[in-house]
Amino acid sequence: MQLYMPRHHRNFFSHLREQSRRRSLRAWVLESMAEVSTQDMGEKEEATLQLLNAYNPTITTLKKFCDAHIVLMARYIIRPAAWDKLRGNSQSLSKGMGMGTSSDSQREDLEETKGKGEMKKMKGKRETKDGNGKKEVLKGTGGTHPARFLKSVRDNTRDAVIQ
């Protein structure tokens, strides 16, 4: 994916990767807290508490951003792609990206008929059956389930909060 990014963006990610190999921000905060508990110094303890009070809300806000990103991806990418598959419409990209083109009445009609395709939610995977009865798993750009990566990033972010 980074091959498609502008050079400055690639350089930024490369810099982040190099820095994270040395030590993560979470590890640095934890090390700072461990130093204070062993040394018990007044000013340093207060600075470390301020650091922790800045770190945890930042991680929580980042997790909220991840939640919003997942919601938007589901609303504007996964659902339209699923509805277009139900309709048998493979030209959705040429028709306005298929974003929000289905009205509620059209969706209800599709749910009632379910003739050509039936959507199921099975073990966290969105699947459709094509006209021949073959199961097709919806895939993202990288060939994986569209939400799996974003959910793992969100969960890892949530787990980074220091208790």
Side-chain angles (χ1 to χ4, degrees), residues 69-96:
H69 191 205
I70 290 169
V71 168
L72 290 173
M73 186 211 37
R75 183 178 298 154
Y76 294 109
I77 296 173
I78 293 176
R79 284 187 196 144
W83 286 112
D84 285 340
K85 278 193 177 250
L86 282 174
R87 279 196 222 112
N89 181 5
S90 62
Q91 301 295 325
S92 64
L93 291 176
S94 64
K95 295 181 181 178

Side-chain angles (χ1 to χ4, degrees), residues 32-43:
S32 297
M33 290 174 58
E35 286 177 15
V36 168
S37 63
T38 58
Q39 296 176 3
D40 197 28
M41 299 169 72
E43 284 183 24

Side-chain angles (χ1 to χ4, degrees), residues 7-137:
R7 180 175 42 89
H8 297 300
H9 294 195
R10 285 194 311 265
N11 292 343
F12 175 68
F13 279 109
S14 176
H15 174 75
L16 288 178
R17 189 173 30 257
E18 289 173 22
Q19 295 302 315
S20 67
R21 285 185 186 143
R22 294 180 189 160
R23 181 170 54 173
S24 71
L25 179 60
R26 184 176 195 276
W28 182 74
V29 172
L30 288 171
E31 287 172 17
S32 297
M33 290 174 58
E35 286 177 15
V36 168
S37 63
T38 58
Q39 296 176 3
D40 197 28
M41 299 169 72
E43 284 183 24
K44 192 165 185 177
E45 184 176 353
E46 185 177 329
T48 303
L49 286 175
Q50 288 176 348
L51 178 63
L52 185 62
N53 289 335
Y55 174 82
N56 279 339
T58 302
I59 297 300
T60 302
T61 302
L62 186 57
K63 191 250 182 214
K64 289 178 184 177
F65 171 79
C66 291
D67 289 337
H69 191 205
I70 290 169
V71 168
L72 290 173
M73 186 211 37
R75 183 178 298 154
Y76 294 109
I77 296 173
I78 293 176
R79 284 187 196 144
W83 286 112
D84 285 340
K85 278 193 177 250
L86 282 174
R87 279 196 222 112
N89 181 5
S90 62
Q91 301 295 325
S92 64
L93 291 176
S94 64
K95 295 181 181 178
M97 303 285 287
M99 291 191 214
T101 57
S102 302
S103 69
D104 289 340
S105 62
Q106 287 173 320
R107 289 180 182 159
E108 289 170 4
D109 291 343
L110 285 171
E111 288 175 0
E112 289 174 6
T113 56
K114 290 186 184 178
K116 292 184 179 178
E118 180 179 358
M119 186 179 300
K120 296 180 180 181
K121 189 163 187 172
M122 300 176 67
K123 297 182 183 177
K125 296 180 181 177
R126 295 190 73 109
E127 298 180 348
T128 59
K129 287 186 180 178
D130 64 6
N132 300 328
K134 294 180 182 177
K135 290 182 182 178
E136 298 176 346
V137 177

